Amino acid sequence: MKTLIVTRNHLAMLLQCINLNTLMDEVIEELTRSLRDFDEARTQVRRRDGFMFMRPRPGILEWMPIMETESAVLIKVVGYNPFNPVDHGLPTIISTMSLYDVRTGHLVALMDGILPTALRTGAASAVASRILASPESRVLGLIGCGAQALTQMHAISRVFDLKEVLIYDPNEESQSSFLKRGEFLGLNVRPAQRDALERESDIICTATSVEIDGGPVLSDSELKSWIHINAIGSDFPGKKELPLSLLRRSLVCPDFTPQAMVEGECQQLSEDEIGPNLAELVKNAGAYEQYMRSPTVFDSTGYALEDQVVMSVLLRYAQQLNLGTELLIETTTADPKNPYEIVNSMVLESLMQDSPNADLEMSTQPAYSFRRGESS
Amino acid sequence: MKTLIVTRNHLAMLLQCINLNTLMDEVIEELTRSLRDFDEARTQVRRRDGFMFMRPRPGILEWMPIMETESAVLIKVVGYNPFNPVDHGLPTIISTMSLYDVRTGHLVALMDGILPTALRTGAASAVASRILASPESRVLGLIGCGAQALTQMHAISRVFDLKEVLIYDPNEESQSSFLKRGEFLGLNVRPAQRDALERESDIICTATSVEIDGGPVLSDSELKSWIHINAIGSDFPGKKELPLSLLRRSLVCPDFTPQAMVEGECQQLSEDEIGPNLAELVKNAGAYEQYMRSPTVFDSTGYALEDQVVMSVLLRYAQQLNLGTELLIETTTADPKNPYEIVNSMVLESLMQDSPNADLEMSTQPAYSFRRGESS
């Protein structure tokens, strides 16, 4: 049983072949379809769980499992480390996605989760905005200009005819580099004061690494009466981006309610103050048209269904383009009751034929070590 | 950031170099050391969680996370599918182990979990038996002769001077093939009636796939007064191998109490009927010497600390022998705030130099598919 590993190279090649707009459009449409067809009897989503820590820096290592009944389980593992960019020159979110055959337990595929997370988080905002924002929205405001802001702008630009994008980040480097990062979209992007951004935007995406109790990142002074907010930075218990005043007068729609109540803006609300979730919105889009003219919030904590959609799209392309490395990882052998069969040299020989030994490589520096292991 | 993938071939080669006895001894000693040094402030273990299902066949897909603070998180994913051998010719337990750097979220290493699970489950029984069984134990009884029974026998044989191993399995094929599978150990193994096995054994390991409410697998009619049982088949809520009568008159020591109360023999007991856990046993072995002369049970549900130990040992050997394939999986690039940087062909070029494109391969049959993906 082989495991398909889609490496960074393969993803880079894939993106050389597939236009980014095509890819984003497809993720948006597939996500819409998946949400509309969502059936709890068929798809089980677990609220993500993880290890939270404060040392050496505050962060989380978490897992997000989703099962398609009688078919597959996807577990995305996500490191959320807001000091990654400063300390290590690495993204705040580093992630990998593993797909298992639920009928056997076999690891079917493994791929990066950084790019897919950015893509699907953008796509989710596009899906929510298409239902909740005014269809005449022309001005997008971005509060926070990090990695996620780029795909927010990209995705929203695919479903609205944007005439202007206003950006704000207290980190000047993020704000100025965003202009360059977003250049390929050919949009009219300009930095703005936060007050002006709030006053002029039809849609606002908040995508910040604001600290616990460091929020809100939005003042709620002069927002448009039809404002739609995609609050995507909420991903940590205690972390909030939006003021309670705004939440109280808005229709607040979480991606995944049980999770949003622990990690999202919904932490600030009681259950009866929370609106329909994203799947309910998509299933009954017509019923929510009235809210296009009033304040609405998409409380986006990150939903495993979105990961399933984006991985499915990328794997389909990888397959079409024959991109991927297949490796035999599990020690399954002819006799399922003999875990030591692999020791037998006959088995070894046949294994070698099956997958030639091109994959031997020097590993000089041990990147891996448990502290316990080192001390022995 | 490279991910070290230890393939099945690499493990086979590793086992060509390292004697199985040496390996088992090392896992037993490392596990003993890890349990003795176990400190909740440094090592956090989560009770495993998973998706349980009844169709197409009853099974579980579960994850077992453990964090070494400020260092690494290991997540072993395990498929427990008792019909795997019959339906697919595959082991009941199929598993992979993923190691993450907790400070960044990077996937550091990936390897098989089938062989390591068998090794560490055997080793755990050896550790428990060394403390709880009579040191004069000479007869081992095995109820259930599947994959796990082999490493039970192997591990116990490393810490006791066995003169005889009695085996019993209602599945005749399992029972007879076990003789061949265990031959390499040069032990005196013979099939026995279950009653005789219970009467003559000093130590018994139960390692069965008994169905929920199908147990107990042991009659508790004429057990020795100093009997020690390693009950390793308990891994499913509702599944039990031992009769309550035996548990009630024994010192019952779980590997991981919160988990054993949900999945293990401890399901049958109230909290005050449960003895010390394995770490407490090892830390205070002297205090439990008296129990070598009375009935004791090791309730082995599978403990993530054991996985950490065995992975650590195997990775150390892999490193010494330069075994492993290093792949760039995560799409980290020069700019941590630009998830689309990977699209840039300059980046692609530098990536290609970094890791030559030897890993492109045809993937003909799509092993991977979400049902949702197929229907589109």
Side-chain angles (χ1 to χ4, degrees):
Chain A
M1 293 191 300
K2 290 182 173 181
T3 299
L4 181 81
I5 300 181
V6 180
T7 66
R8 181 165 78 162
N9 275 357
H10 296 132
L11 271 187
M13 289 180 235
L14 190 154
L15 293 168
Q16 293 288 310
C17 302
I18 313 298
N19 183 286
L20 265 184
N21 288 339
T22 310
L23 183 62
M24 182 58 92
D25 291 352
E26 199 164 341
V27 175
I28 293 170
E29 297 315 321
E30 283 280 340
L31 179 57
T32 304
R33 192 163 27 230
S34 284
L35 288 160
R36 195 170 48 221
D37 297 347
F38 181 74
D39 176 358
E40 277 185 1
R42 210 181 54 204
T43 309
Q44 288 183 46
V45 185
R46 284 294 166 80
R47 182 158 74 73
R48 74 173 154 236
D49 195 5
F51 293 112
M52 212 179 305
F53 47 88
M54 297 310 285
R55 290 173 306 139
R57 296 282 215 165
I60 304 187
L61 194 297
E62 57 194 359
W63 44 94
M64 302 177 67
I66 177 169
M67 173 169 76
E68 201 66 10
T69 307
E70 298 184 43
S71 170
V73 167
L74 166 61
I75 303 180
K76 184 171 87 164
V77 173
V78 185
Y80 169 73
N81 296 284
F83 291 93
N84 262 359
V86 172
D87 291 352
H88 308 288
L90 291 172
T92 299
I93 290 171
I94 292 189
S95 169
T96 38
M97 310 204 292
S98 302
L99 183 68
Y100 303 88
D101 182 337
V102 79
R103 289 157 298 192
T104 61
H106 168 54
L107 176 63
V108 175
L110 168 68
M111 67 184 288
D112 168 60
I114 300 173
L115 177 70
T117 297
L119 284 169
R120 62 75 153 157
T121 308
S125 288
V127 171
S129 301
R130 195 150 61 171
I131 297 169
L132 295 174
S134 162
E136 285 83 43
S137 296
R138 294 293 171 263
V139 181
L140 171 66
L142 298 174
I143 296 182
C145 296
Q148 303 304 317
L150 187 65
T151 51
Q152 292 292 310
M153 178 168 78
H154 184 199
I156 303 284
S157 77
R158 300 301 301 162
V159 295
F160 289 90
D161 186 14
L162 299 180
K163 84 175 196 327
E164 195 167 37
V165 180
L166 305 176
I167 63 170
Y168 170 80
D169 196 312
N171 178 328
E172 276 187 34
E173 185 280 317
S174 288
Q175 190 171 281
S176 61
S177 76
F178 186 84
L179 295 171
K180 200 148 182 293
R181 283 179 274 141
E183 209 170 20
F184 74 103
L185 287 169
L187 296 166
N188 175 23
V189 185
R190 66 172 173 88
Q193 293 301 311
R194 196 179 67 170
D195 284 355
L197 183 153
E198 292 191 31
R199 209 164 43 235
E200 295 172 36
S201 299
D202 302 302
I203 300 173
I204 294 176
C205 300
T206 57
T208 71
S209 288
V210 67
E211 281 174 50
I212 291 175
D213 301 324
V217 301
L218 195 124
S219 70
D220 188 21
S221 52
E222 290 182 83
L223 293 167
K224 296 209 158 153
S225 63
W226 57 84
I227 188 73
H228 170 69
I229 316 264
N230 299 299
I232 77 132
S234 302
D235 45 19
F236 204 104
K239 183 178 166 188
K240 298 155 210 163
E241 294 186 321
L242 304 187
L244 183 57
S245 57
L246 172 62
L247 294 173
R248 284 259 160 87
R249 64 190 168 82
S250 303
L251 179 73
V252 179
C253 302
D255 46 7
F256 186 34
T257 310
Q259 188 170 285
M261 291 185 72
V262 178
E263 302 182 14
E265 300 304 324
C266 288
Q267 290 176 88
Q268 304 182 60
L269 300 176
S270 61
E271 213 159 334
D272 59 354
E273 293 174 303
I274 300 173
N277 67 32
L278 189 58
E280 288 161 353
L281 268 188
V282 171
K283 283 174 196 287
N284 309 294
Y288 298 100
E289 259 176 39
Q290 49 178 312
Y291 291 99
M292 288 176 170
R293 297 279 148 212
S294 61
T296 51
V297 170
F298 173 47
D299 185 10
S300 176
T301 58
Y303 188 29
L305 188 74
E306 299 157 7
D307 299 317
Q308 198 194 56
V309 165
V310 70
M311 189 180 196
S312 168
V313 169
L314 289 170
L315 280 180
R316 208 184 305 144
Y317 278 122
Q319 185 194 341
Q320 283 170 16
L321 300 165
N322 288 322
L323 293 170
T325 298
E326 291 189 323
L327 294 178
L328 290 160
I329 296 175
E330 294 122 354
T331 58
T332 49
T333 44
D335 180 357
K337 291 178 182 163
N338 191 358
Y340 286 160
E341 196 176 7
I342 190 139
V343 181
N344 186 298
S345 61
M346 297 293 284
V347 173
L348 179 61
E349 201 170 13
S350 73
L351 287 177
M352 303 291 285
Q353 285 162 3
D354 195 10
S355 160
N357 177 18
D359 50 11
L360 275 175
E361 201 174 301
M362 287 287 285
S363 49
T364 47
Q365 198 62 27
Y368 48 90
S369 68
F370 299 100
R371 218 168 39 192
R372 177 163 296 116
E374 291 172 334
S375 69
S376 68
Chain B
M1 291 190 302
K2 290 182 173 179
T3 300
L4 181 81
I5 301 181
V6 180
T7 66
R8 181 166 77 162
N9 276 357
H10 297 131
L11 271 188
M13 288 182 237
L14 190 155
L15 292 168
Q16 293 288 310
C17 302
I18 313 299
N19 182 285
L20 265 184
N21 287 339
T22 309
L23 183 61
M24 182 58 92
D25 291 352
E26 198 164 341
V27 175
I28 292 170
E29 297 315 321
E30 282 280 340
L31 179 57
T32 304
R33 195 167 19 234
S34 285
L35 288 160
R36 196 171 46 221
D37 297 346
F38 181 75
D39 176 358
E40 277 186 2
R42 208 182 55 204
T43 309
Q44 287 183 46
V45 185
R46 284 293 165 83
R47 184 159 72 73
R48 72 172 155 238
D49 196 5
F51 293 111
M52 212 179 305
F53 46 89
M54 297 310 285
R55 287 173 308 137
R57 296 282 214 164
I60 304 188
L61 195 298
E62 56 195 0
W63 43 95
M64 302 177 68
I66 178 169
M67 173 169 77
E68 200 66 11
T69 306
E70 298 185 44
S71 169
V73 166
L74 166 61
I75 303 180
K76 184 170 86 164
V77 173
V78 186
Y80 170 73
N81 295 284
F83 291 93
N84 261 359
V86 172
D87 292 352
H88 308 287
L90 290 172
T92 299
I93 289 172
I94 292 188
S95 169
T96 37
M97 309 204 293
S98 302
L99 182 68
Y100 303 88
D101 183 337
V102 80
R103 289 157 297 192
T104 60
H106 168 53
L107 176 62
V108 175
L110 168 68
M111 67 184 291
D112 167 60
I114 300 173
L115 177 69
T117 297
L119 284 169
R120 62 75 152 156
T121 308
S125 289
V127 172
S129 301
R130 196 150 59 171
I131 297 169
L132 295 173
S134 162
E136 285 83 43
S137 295
R138 294 292 171 266
V139 182
L140 170 67
L142 298 174
I143 296 182
C145 296
Q148 303 303 317
L150 188 65
T151 50
Q152 291 294 308
M153 178 169 78
H154 184 199
I156 303 285
S157 78
R158 300 303 301 164
V159 295
F160 289 89
D161 185 15
L162 299 179
K163 84 176 197 323
E164 195 168 34
V165 180
L166 306 176
I167 63 170
Y168 169 79
D169 196 311
N171 179 330
E172 277 187 33
E173 186 280 318
S174 287
Q175 190 170 282
S176 60
S177 75
F178 186 84
L179 295 171
K180 203 151 180 291
R181 283 180 273 140
E183 211 170 18
F184 75 102
L185 287 169
L187 296 166
N188 176 23
V189 185
R190 67 173 173 86
Q193 294 299 311
R194 196 179 67 171
D195 285 355
L197 183 153
E198 292 190 31
R199 211 164 41 234
E200 295 172 34
S201 299
D202 303 302
I203 300 172
I204 295 177
C205 300
T206 57
T208 72
S209 288
V210 67
E211 281 174 51
I212 292 174
D213 301 324
V217 301
L218 194 124
S219 70
D220 188 21
S221 52
E222 290 182 82
L223 292 167
K224 296 209 157 154
S225 62
W226 57 83
I227 188 72
H228 170 70
I229 317 263
N230 299 299
I232 77 132
S234 303
D235 46 19
F236 204 102
K239 183 178 166 188
K240 299 154 209 162
E241 294 186 320
L242 304 187
L244 183 56
S245 57
L246 172 62
L247 294 173
R248 283 260 160 88
R249 64 191 170 81
S250 303
L251 179 73
V252 179
C253 302
D255 47 6
F256 186 33
T257 310
Q259 188 170 284
M261 292 185 72
V262 178
E263 302 182 15
E265 300 304 324
C266 288
Q267 289 177 88
Q268 305 182 60
L269 300 176
S270 61
E271 213 160 333
D272 59 354
E273 294 175 303
I274 300 174
N277 67 31
L278 189 58
E280 288 161 353
L281 269 187
V282 171
K283 282 175 197 288
N284 310 293
Y288 298 100
E289 259 176 39
Q290 49 177 314
Y291 290 99
M292 289 177 170
R293 298 279 148 210
S294 61
T296 50
V297 170
F298 172 47
D299 185 9
S300 176
T301 59
Y303 188 29
L305 187 74
E306 300 157 6
D307 299 316
Q308 198 194 56
V309 166
V310 70
M311 190 180 195
S312 167
V313 169
L314 289 170
L315 281 181
R316 207 184 306 145
Y317 277 122
Q319 185 195 340
Q320 283 171 15
L321 299 165
N322 288 322
L323 293 170
T325 298
E326 290 189 324
L327 294 178
L328 290 160
I329 296 175
E330 293 123 354
T331 58
T332 49
T333 43
D335 181 357
K337 291 178 182 164
N338 190 359
Y340 286 159
E341 194 177 8
I342 189 131
V343 181
N344 187 300
S345 61
M346 297 294 283
V347 173
L348 179 61
E349 201 170 16
S350 73
L351 288 176
M352 305 290 285
Q353 285 162 2
D354 196 9
S355 158
N357 177 19
D359 50 10
L360 275 176
E361 202 173 303
M362 287 286 286
S363 50
T364 47
Q365 198 62 27
Y368 48 89
S369 67
F370 300 100
R371 222 168 35 195
R372 176 164 295 114
E374 291 172 334
S375 69
S376 68

